[in-house]
Every structure is written in structure tokens, then in C-alpha cells.
């Protein structure tokens, strides 16, 4: 039986029972209860801020106004660190110095952002290709889109090593209480940190944001063993859903069958003397923020102006889609659903428009160039096929729209159309619901999203079955508003309980429990 060790000085009492509804404040309070004065160290591929172009490099005291990228997750982690303080390592993708101190009026703390520059273009391109042209398509079960080259894994490893070196330096200086690494670009960070032979490392958590595919897809990945072993060097592995967690465990079972060192059970993997906790932690949004933004009168009038500028009159009915222009988001399937809607239910012609916010993404990659070109062509074809006088069925906006306009646009829409063919979670679905206070707008949610695995009451559609999806859309749009509102009440209750703060809180509690079990 393991001996009961006395507690280390920084060990802490068990966490308080979780709050009923998590907020930014309750996560930061919980963080302090769990980790005391020790700070969180976050590592992501993308940085949480954009340093404005054309600014002279300024001293930390004289920093220009930073901008923020579109994604919801990095902004929530950013706000957590502004409450608790901490450190963040990511790739430098905008001008400015290698280290920034990030603070914001109204927040009690600041954090350090360490920005890794990759000087070697070949290395950087190889790393990106391995991540985005191999892991991304494969883990979204699209092996036909793989575009990586043989040597790319070496570059992926070497960039992960560079991250680990920077992280190790930060840990020495800051004595962080926990490391939290994000996503498929950084699967090997813990492996390198362990290889440096440092006597004590803080507990290391990793969250895999994209789907984990059926194990047979892994056979396309020659380096699958390295990837899986690298992941097992973390202490906690988080997945979006129970299905992805089970598939991961199955991948480990298949790859390491007959290996006595590795033992797999439901939530835990034992590897030699180490224990790795494997859990599902469905990510959420900050519903309060989207609800408030959706009701803000200035934002609302800006949204109405935005609609008018794009040719939509206030009384016109529209569906909204918001996605980076990525093939996993099912843009072409969405157009097929519209075609089916107008074919099967011609009464909708001229009556409903799709407002598609589609900021281009990874546009230097050939696969994306081809896909985005095809999407543009098909939008034109669909519009030509169905247009009537001044009405055309699709308005496609290829740029980022600020959340303060996006949230009222969600609120005003008759529905949101989420057509992903495979999606780890899909935050847009949850943002849309958050913006529906007392409204009967319908979330039409692809059954192939992680969100659909949790939001059982949602109206599910199948992007691979356009005619059935069109029938569901037509029928639901004609339902009495009370039915649609009733459905939204249930869904909104769920997203408000399982919000982004609950997600952070439970992962932090999970990694803390892991340390306590070791004590
Ligand atoms: C990965 C996984 C998982 C998009 N366009 C604009 C804009 N956005 C924001 C949305 C939302 C976020 O970007 C997109 O979130 P998703 O969840 O749809 O998708 P991915 O980028 O693919 O992210 C995904 C996610 O990680 C989190 O774990 O859900 O499955 O693939 O927050 O609002 N924001 C603004 N303007 C835009 O035009 N302001």
C-alpha cells in the first residue's frame, strides 16, 4: 500500500463544492483555493493578442492598444489570467517585442506573454503542415485532404521542443503551479519537458479541442505511436465529449495491446509508475457576455445597419452561419441544403436568406485555396439559380465581424445553420443560443458536432442528407413561436450551466485532484 506522505507546503484543502453557475470570478477564486499563490502557465499555438501593425516597439509601460483575435476560448483564458495573473507561451504572429505584459482596465492582475519566433521558415512550414495538413484532416476523418510531406514530423517535433524549452525557462523563473497546454499543434510538449530531466515539474494538463477519430483513422498516421506516447506524458488529458475520450482510450488499447507497462481503464491510464487522468470536459461559452451584447442598443443598431448595408431589410427573415472558411464546417453541404429547401418548399424562395459570415482561414495552404475557390463559385451558382428581382438567397461576408455586432445578428436571425461534417464542439451553436433571450430563433445543429452530443434537445440536421435537413428546417421555421421558445429555454439552461468557466474550473479541479492523489 502506498505510504501516506505528509502534505507538501503548497498542498491545499479540497476545493469548495462547485458553484451552481460558474463565473469568471468563481474560477479565479477556485484557482487560488487550489493552487494558492502559484500561477497558471498556459501554452497555445496562437497568441491571445494581436500587436497592431506599424507601431514602433514600445516599452511595457508605453504599450500600444492591443487587438484580440476572434476565437472565444483564448479570450476566456486571457480573462482568467487577468484575474489570477500568470504566464502564457505562444507563437509570435504579429509585430512587437518577444515579451509582453498584458493588463486591462477593470481587471486586478496582469500576465506575461512570451512570444516564440520561428526564424527557420522550412521548420515553421513543416510544423504547420504536419499540424494543419495532416493532423487536422485526419482527426476530422478526411484522409483525402492530407497534404503533408515526409519530413514534416521532424519539424513538428522541433517546434514542440522549442515551446518546451521556453516553458521550462518560464517555470524556473515563475515557479508555476500548473501547466495547461492546448490542442493538436502541441501534443509533444510534455514529452520534451520530461526529457529535460528537471526534478520537479508542475502537474501538466492538455486539452484536445478537435475530435478524436475512430481508431482506424490513426492507421494513416505513421507517427501515431510517437503522438500517443507523447500525450501520455501529460498528467491530465481532456477531450470534448465522452465519445472522443472512449475513442482515445481505444486507440491506446489497440496501439499498445500486449504492452504490460500500459494499462487502460475508464478514466485512467497507468503507464509504469505514472497515472494519467483521461476525462471529457465539454467546452462552453460565456453566455452572459453574448446575452448582454445581443441586447445592447448600440450593437443592435449597428447590426441593423450592417444588415441594411448588405441588402437585408429589417423585416426580412434570415438564417445565420458563422465559421472560418474551413472544409470541416460543411460550406458546400450548406448550399446543398439551401438548394433542397427551395426545390422541396418553393414557398421559401424570396422569403429567407442565408447570411454567411465566413472569414478565410489558412489561405496560403493549397487545400484551403482550392476549397475556398469552390465555395465562392458555388455561392455564385446558388445565387444565380434562385435569385428573384433584388433578392438572392446568400449573402456571404468574407471577413471577421466583431462580437458586439455578431451577437445582435444572432439575436435577429430566425435560425443558425451549423453544417459541420465533423467538429470538436462548435462554439457558434452555443453563442447563438446565448443570444436568444426570450426569442424563438432555432439552432439547426449538425449531428456531427461535439455540441450535438450534449445538446440533446437541439434540432439536429444531417449535412450528408440535404433533403431531410431541408424538411426539418422548413417544418421548424413554421412551428408556433411558443414551441421554439420552450426548446430554447431548455437549451439555454444547459449552456448556462455548462459554460466556459465551468469548463476551466473542472479541468483545474481535475489536475489538482491528480496532484492530491500523488501526495
Ligand atoms: C476549435 C474546434 C471547438 C468566428 N468568426 C468570427 C468569430 N468567430 C468565433 C466564434 C467562435 C469561434 O470563432 C469559432 O469557434 P468554433 O467552435 O466554431 O471553431 P474552431 O475555430 O474550429 O475551434 C471546435 C473549438 O476549438 C473550441 O474548443 O469548438 O470544434 O475546431 O467563438 O464567435 N468571432 C468574431 N467574428 C467572426 O467573424 N468576432
Amino acid at each position: 500500500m502506498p505510504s501516506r506522505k505528509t502534505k507538501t507546503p503548497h498542498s491545499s484543502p479540497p476545493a469548495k463544492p462547485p458553484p451552481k453557475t460558474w463565473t469568471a470570478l468563481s474560477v479565479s477564486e477556485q484557482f487560488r483555493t487550489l493552487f494558492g499563490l502559484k500561477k497558471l502557465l498556459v501554452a497555445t499555438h496562437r497568441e491571445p493578442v494581436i500587436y497592431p501593425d506599424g507601431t514602433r516597439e514600445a516599452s511595457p509601460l508605453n504599450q500600444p492598444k492591443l487587438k484580440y483575435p476572434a476565437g472565444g476560448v483564448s479570450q476566456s483564458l486571457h480573462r482568467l489570467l487577468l484575474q489570477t495573473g500568470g504566464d502564457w507561451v505562444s507563437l509570435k504572429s504579429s509585430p512587437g517585442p518577444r515579451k509582453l505584459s498584458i493588463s486591462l482596465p477593470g481587471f486586478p492582475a496582469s500576465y506575461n506573454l512570451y512570444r516564440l519566433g520561428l526564424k527557420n521558415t522550412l521548420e515553421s512550414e513543416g510544423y504547420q503542415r504536419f499540424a494543419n495538413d495532416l493532423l487536422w484532416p485526419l482527426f476530422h476523418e478526411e484522409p483525402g485532404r492530407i497534404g503533408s510531406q515526409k519530413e514534416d514530423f521532424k519539424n513538428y517535433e522541433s517546434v514542440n521542443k522549442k515551446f518546451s524549452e521556453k516553458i521550462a525557462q518560464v517555470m524556473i523563473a515563475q515557479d508555476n503551479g500548473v501547466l495547461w497546454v492546448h490542442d493538436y499543434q502541441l501534443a509533444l510538449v510534455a514529452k520534451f519537458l520530461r526529457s529535460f530531466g528537471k526534478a520537479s515539474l508542475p502537474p501538466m494538463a492538455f486539452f484536445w479541442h478537435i475530435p478524436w477519430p475512430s481508431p482506424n483513422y490513426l492507421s494513416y498516421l505513421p507517427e501515431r505511436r510517437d503522438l500517443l506516447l507523447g500525450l501520455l506524458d501529460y498528467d491530465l488529458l481532456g477531450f470534448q465529449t465522452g465519445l472522443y475520450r472512449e475513442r482515445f482510450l481505444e486507440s491506446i488499447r489497440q496501439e499498445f495491446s500486449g504492452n504490460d507497462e500500459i494499462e487502460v481503464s475508464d478514466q485512467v491510464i497507468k503507464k509504469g509508475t505514472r497515472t494519467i487522468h483521461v476525462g471529457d470536459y465539454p467546452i462552453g461559452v460565456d453566455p452572459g457576455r453574448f446575452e448582454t451584447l445581443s441586447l445592447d442598443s448600440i450593437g443592435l443598431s449597428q447590426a441593423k445597419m450592417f444588415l441594411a448595408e448588405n441588402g437585408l431589410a429589417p423585416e426580412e427573415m434570415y438564417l445565420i452561419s458563422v465559421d472560418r472558411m474551413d472544409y470541416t464546417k460543411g460550406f458546400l453541404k450548406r448550399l446543398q441544403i439551401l438548394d433542397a429547401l427551395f426545390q422541396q418548399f418553393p414557398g421559401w424562395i424570396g422569403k429567407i436568406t442565408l447570411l454567411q459570415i465566413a472569414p478565410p482561414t489558412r489561405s496560403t495552404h493549397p487545400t484551403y485555396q482550392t476549397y475556398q475557390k469552390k465555395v465562392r463559385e458555388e455561392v455564385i451558382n446558388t445565387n444565380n439559380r434562385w435569385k428573384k428581382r433584388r433578392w438572392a438567397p446568400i449573402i456571404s461576408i468574407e471577413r471577421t465581424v466583431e462580437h458586439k455586432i455578431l451577437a445582435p445578428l444572432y439575436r435577429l436571425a430566425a435560425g443558425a445553420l451549423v453544417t459541420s461534417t465533423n467538429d470538436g464542439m462548435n462554439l457558434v451553436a452555443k453563442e447563438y443560443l446565448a443570444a436568444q433571450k426570450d426569442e424563438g430563433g432555432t439552432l439547426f445543429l449538425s449531428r456531427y458536432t461535439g455540441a450535438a452530443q450534449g445538446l440533446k434537445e437541439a434540432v439536429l440536421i444531417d449535412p450528408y442528407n440535404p433533403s431531410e435537413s431541408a424538411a426539418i428546417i422548413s417544418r421548424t421555421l413554421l412551428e408556433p413561436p411558443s414551441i421554439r421558445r420552450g426548446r430554447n429555454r431548455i437549451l439555454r439552461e444547459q449552456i448556462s450551466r455548462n459554460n466556459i468557466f465551468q469548463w476551466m474550473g473542472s479541468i483545474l479541479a481535475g489536475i489538482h485532484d491528480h496532484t492530491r492523489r500523488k501526495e
Side-chain angles (χ1 to χ4, degrees), residues 130-198:
F130 188 80
N132 294 331
D133 290 343
L134 176 52
L135 294 183
W136 178 268
L138 201 55
F139 281 75
H140 286 90
E141 304 188 346
E142 298 246 15
R145 300 205 194 255
I146 289 176
S148 139
Q149 299 168 10
K150 222 172 150 211
E151 322 71 48
D152 291 344
F153 183 62
K154 274 202 207 90
N155 293 312
Y156 179 81
E157 278 186 308
S158 89
V159 173
N160 272 250
K161 188 164 179 230
K162 287 195 169 127
F163 260 90
S164 315
E165 284 161 355
K166 179 43 89 184
I167 288 170
Q169 261 177 28
V170 175
M171 280 172 177
I172 291 171
Q174 307 290 345
D175 190 23
N176 301 87
V178 54
L179 168 69
W180 188 0
V181 181
H182 289 261
D183 228 357
Y184 64 99
Q185 298 96 341
L186 301 178
L188 305 181
V189 163
K191 163 188 139 169
F192 286 112
L193 281 168
R194 289 193 193 280
S195 76
F196 299 156
K198 194 171 172 280

Side-chain angles (χ1 to χ4, degrees), residues 26-42:
S26 50
V27 190
S28 59
E29 278 169 1
Q30 190 223 30
F31 187 85
R32 289 216 193 297
T33 317
L34 298 178
F35 298 100
L37 293 177
K38 298 239 175 179
K39 302 253 167 79
L40 172 61
L41 170 49
V42 171

Side-chain angles (χ1 to χ4, degrees), residues 166-461:
K166 179 43 89 184
I167 288 170
Q169 261 177 28
V170 175
M171 280 172 177
I172 291 171
Q174 307 290 345
D175 190 23
N176 301 87
V178 54
L179 168 69
W180 188 0
V181 181
H182 289 261
D183 228 357
Y184 64 99
Q185 298 96 341
L186 301 178
L188 305 181
V189 163
K191 163 188 139 169
F192 286 112
L193 281 168
R194 289 193 193 280
S195 76
F196 299 156
K198 194 171 172 280
S200 75
L201 285 166
M204 300 190 283
F206 181 87
F207 191 76
W208 188 268
H209 286 260
I210 63 175
W212 193 274
S214 308
N216 50 332
Y217 281 92
L218 277 194
S219 58
Y220 290 95
L221 182 65
E223 300 83 4
R224 61 188 171 276
R225 219 177 162 82
D226 300 86
L227 185 86
L228 293 171
L229 282 172
L231 286 172
L232 294 185
D233 273 324
Y234 289 94
D235 298 303
L236 177 144
L237 293 171
F239 294 90
Q240 300 272 22
T241 71
L243 175 67
Y244 304 152
R245 174 178 53 81
E246 280 163 23
R247 286 174 175 173
F248 171 76
L249 294 173
E250 190 48 35
S251 304
I252 296 282
R253 275 190 205 101
Q254 287 189 12
E255 192 61 36
F256 299 104
S257 67
N259 181 333
D260 296 341
E261 266 256 290
I262 297 179
E263 207 183 295
V264 181
S265 55
D266 191 32
Q267 306 267 341
V268 163
I269 297 177
K270 291 216 155 119
K271 178 169 180 279
T273 56
R274 293 187 45 248
T275 301
I276 300 108
H277 175 79
V278 186
D280 45 300
Y281 301 94
I283 197 166
V285 296
D286 177 354
R289 179 167 172 266
F290 275 91
E291 186 179 301
T292 309
L293 286 176
S294 74
L295 294 164
D296 180 75
S297 56
I298 299 176
L300 209 55
S301 54
Q302 287 176 331
K304 285 181 182 160
M305 222 146 71
F306 176 96
L307 291 173
E309 280 163 9
N310 287 293
L312 265 174
E315 68 288 352
E316 282 183 277
M317 200 177 188
Y318 68 93
L319 300 175
I320 189 166
S321 292
V322 180
D323 310 274
R324 293 178 299 105
M325 221 198 265
D326 190 292
Y327 51 82
T328 62
K329 304 293 182 181
F331 280 78
L332 298 172
K333 306 270 180 257
R334 186 182 302 158
L335 301 181
Q336 288 167 6
I337 293 175
L338 274 195
D339 268 335
L341 181 74
F342 298 132
Q343 259 157 23
Q344 292 165 219
F345 309 97
W348 289 111
I349 299 172
K351 298 275 166 37
I352 195 156
T353 305
L354 171 69
L355 173 64
Q356 174 171 284
I357 315 283
T361 183
R362 302 176 190 165
S363 306
T364 52
H365 295 224
T367 317
Y368 282 79
Q369 286 167 348
T370 313
Y371 181 75
Q372 292 172 4
K373 183 164 172 273
K374 178 85 179 145
V375 170
R376 288 181 193 116
E377 284 166 7
E378 286 306 312
V379 166
I380 294 171
N381 292 341
T382 313
N383 274 341
N384 285 339
R385 206 156 33 248
W386 299 106
K387 72 178 175 208
K388 210 174 134 194
R389 289 189 290 276
R390 52 164 284 280
W391 173 85
I394 304 160
I395 297 170
S396 194
I397 313 282
E398 288 195 22
R399 65 179 165 81
T400 304
V401 175
E402 288 173 277
H403 276 166
K404 68 173 184 192
I405 298 179
L406 199 55
L409 286 177
Y410 283 146
R411 182 170 173 82
L412 297 170
L417 198 45
V418 176
T419 51
S420 312
T421 48
N422 210 337
D423 209 334
M425 178 54 64
N426 195 282
L427 294 179
V428 169
K430 297 186 175 185
E431 292 168 1
Y432 178 76
L433 290 171
Q436 290 302 308
K437 185 169 195 289
D438 304 324
E439 292 289 333
T442 304
L443 168 65
F444 296 105
L445 180 60
S446 160
R447 58 176 63 254
Y448 307 111
T449 57
Q453 293 176 42
L455 298 172
K456 301 281 182 220
E457 308 290 328
V459 176
L460 297 189
I461 54 168

Side-chain angles (χ1 to χ4, degrees), residues 88-137:
W88 190 316
V89 179
S90 56
L91 283 187
K92 182 171 184 295
S93 57
S94 57
R98 286 299 174 95
K99 184 181 166 197
L100 289 171
S101 169
I102 312 283
S103 57
L104 259 190
F107 285 88
S110 63
Y111 69 90
N112 303 311
L113 176 64
Y114 305 86
R115 314 170 79 208
L116 270 182
L118 299 180
K119 290 201 194 89
N120 178 340
T121 318
L122 287 180
E123 178 191 68
S124 159
E125 286 174 357
Y127 156 76
Q128 302 259 10
R129 259 198 313 270
F130 188 80
N132 294 331
D133 290 343
L134 176 52
L135 294 183
W136 178 268

